[in-house]
Amino acid sequence: MKSQYKLTIFYGKFIDIPSLKAGFRIRSSCAIGVNSESGSIVFIQENFHDDLLKLASNWDPNLKHDEVKIVDCNNNNNNNSYAFLFPGFVDTHIHASQYPNNGLFGKMSLLEWLNEYTFPLENKLKDLNIAKIVYSKVIERTLSHGTTTAAYYATIHLESTKLLANLCSEYNQRSFIGKICMNQNSPAYYVEPSTDTSINLTKKFIEHINSINNPKINAIITPRFAPSCDKDLLCNLGKLAKQYELPIQTHLSENLNELEWVHDLFPEYANYTEVYNQNGLLNEKTILAHCIYLNDLELNTIKSKNSGIAHCPISNSCLSSGLCSVRKFLNKGIKVGLGTDTSAGYTTSILEVARHAHMVSRQLASVEGNDDCKISVTECLYLATLGGAYVMGLQDQVGSFEVNKQFDCQLINLTVEGSKIDLFPWDKETEKLEKWFFNGDDRNVQAVWVGGQECGIRSKSYL
Ligand SMILES: Nc1nc2[nH]cnc2c(=O)[nH]1
Ligand SMILES: [Zn+2]
């Protein structure tokens, strides 16, 4: 539907983190103009206290007043309130199909959990009615937590994976969607019978994404992980990614038993990373989840291919997979983002994942006796936004507020009714933001926009 507006001007306090070490960039009384057709930012004017329509005329002198929409999020009139606009979160690793199992993992670790909890659930989603319920809920829930971009795993089923893509398009959530590929070492009821089947279904899925013709909705090549794909499938998926110039997502080095298994299954490769590398699956658009046990050689390979890592600290804790040193990745200049890894991770909130990343980094610092392990609040929030954008190859489009970037944004209100955050008159501005980091949740997310278009978010009864 074509908007009656040609320009939307968002006005308020804009906060983002433009680089890992930059800290909070706070732009107050700031007007950001968004081209309604393209969804991209056309101007940014901070400390602006004049008539906003003047900015519209500067941008296009022919614009009529009723072609300009003003979204005023400024709250300077009221000393007791505090709200700001922040880049939408980027979830670089989430299993949409596993959402009903969030919080269900018992005492299990990865390989038994896959067999007991995960494969039976994923298999249920071949039923399109079930898939519709699950996928609608996970999109609604992630949007309500401020996730504007997500890299989703679906299941091995073509039709329900197509449905996930359609729903992301309808809900207006920027997404990479992967039909899972797996042709070995999986239960008979949940496995693809051959490489050909897996490749053909993936091609059909790519065609479907092309038919949606929505630049926010993308296909991603998704070998589940090395143990569930034979060499032939891995190699053909590498070729497919190259042929269609598509991103790739998979799991790497998450659990010690998994590592041993990969070593037994693929003895001809020097290490786990080489299994992917030598089959054409590592490039600048590859998202590697976990990467807990990589050695220096493997990290160097990932760096040289400019692949990115999805750090999933909640999942790593839930399945007792291990403590992952993010600082090691950052020191090597490897791209890092955050992933909920629903449902190995119990939440769909990237803010909660960012908090846990912070906590795990402190545990590592004490285990290793090295304070350099600690990642700061703003570093964690960078990973949750622009860091994730880099991992997904979207760094020129999302993750921070810059002219020509897409307007993917969440309105955070710390003083909304029901908020868990108590502010005091002596709180400094950055302290308010740190309080949000530790005690904020979806109650503070008042609105979400992707490409300048507002997304519906669930049950905001107090608004
Ligand atoms: N956390 C996690 N690891 C995996 N490794 C292979 N499949 C999965 C999965 O679904 N979740
Ligand atoms: Zn995962």
Side-chain angles (χ1 to χ4, degrees), residues 93-95 98 113 153 251 254 289-290 312 315 341-342 344:
H93 185 83
I94 172 165
H95 296 260
Q98 296 174 16
W113 167 82
Y153 286 60
H251 299 84
E254 174 178 3
H290 304 285
C312 306
S315 160
D341 196 18
T342 289

Side-chain angles (χ1 to χ4, degrees), residues 292-349:
I292 303 174
Y293 297 105
L294 299 182
N295 62 31
D296 271 350
L297 263 175
E298 293 178 281
L299 288 175
N300 291 344
T301 304
I302 289 169
K303 170 67 184 163
S304 72
K305 295 289 176 177
N306 199 19
S307 301
I309 293 177
H311 176 46
C312 306
I314 294 191
S315 160
N316 296 343
S317 295
C318 290
L319 295 185
S320 55
S321 301
L323 296 171
C324 182
S325 175
V326 174
R327 185 61 73 200
K328 212 158 69 181
F329 306 149
L330 296 173
N331 284 347
K332 279 207 180 278
I334 294 172
K335 300 179 293 188
V336 187
L338 297 179
T340 53
D341 196 18
T342 289
S343 66
Y346 61 79
T347 181
T348 48
S349 159

Side-chain angles (χ1 to χ4, degrees), residues 10 14 16 27 32-44 86-88 90 148-149 172-174 214-218 386 389 394-410 449-453:
F10 295 86
F14 282 85
D16 59 3
R27 288 179 280 191
I32 290 193
V34 176
N35 181 330
S36 305
E37 198 165 331
S38 66
S40 59
I41 297 174
V42 291
F43 60 76
I44 300 178
F86 197 74
V90 178
T148 49
T149 300
N172 188 34
Q173 188 176 48
R174 198 178 299 281
N214 176 348
K216 293 170 185 163
I217 309 299
N218 305 278
L386 191 52
L394 296 175
Q395 66 277 4
D396 296 329
Q397 292 187 54
V398 303
S400 60
F401 300 116
E402 309 285 357
V403 170
N404 291 332
K405 277 197 171 184
Q406 289 280 294
F407 188 81
D408 284 17
C409 180
Q410 47 181 325
W449 296 266
V450 173
Q453 284 176 29

